[in-house]
Amino acid sequence: MEFAEKYAFPIEGQLGTAFPRNNDFGEVFYLRWGKIRFDVHWGPELNIKVLLKIYRSDGVCEHFVVDTEERRAQWNHH
C-alpha cells in the first residue's frame, strides 16, 4: 500500500488570530484562517485533496476535505 507522503508532505503551516463574527441569532463565534503548504513530488497540474481532522477538547473530531486546485502554483509547491 502506498502512502500519501510518497507524493506530498506538509512543509509549513500558519494559523491566524481569531476574530469575532455574529450569527443570525446575534450569538458571537470566532473564526480564524489557516494555511498549509505542501512539497509535492509532481507538477502543478496535480490536484491535491487534503483531509483535515480537527480534534476538539470535548473529544469530538471534525473532518474537512480541502481541494487545492491551485492554478498559480509553481513547480512542487501547492
Side-chain angles (χ1 to χ4, degrees), residues 30-67:
Y30 293 88
L31 294 175
R32 63 188 330 173
W33 61 268
K35 175 180 168 181
I36 303 172
R37 280 189 27 194
F38 290 88
D39 191 8
V40 179
H41 300 288
W42 201 271
E45 70 276 4
L46 183 66
N47 187 0
I48 299 172
K49 308 287 192 279
V50 177
L51 176 60
L52 184 62
K53 295 181 180 181
I54 307 296
Y55 294 91
R56 305 278 179 197
S57 59
D58 60 0
V60 173
C61 179
E62 297 181 65
H63 295 81
F64 299 93
V65 177
V66 181
D67 185 357

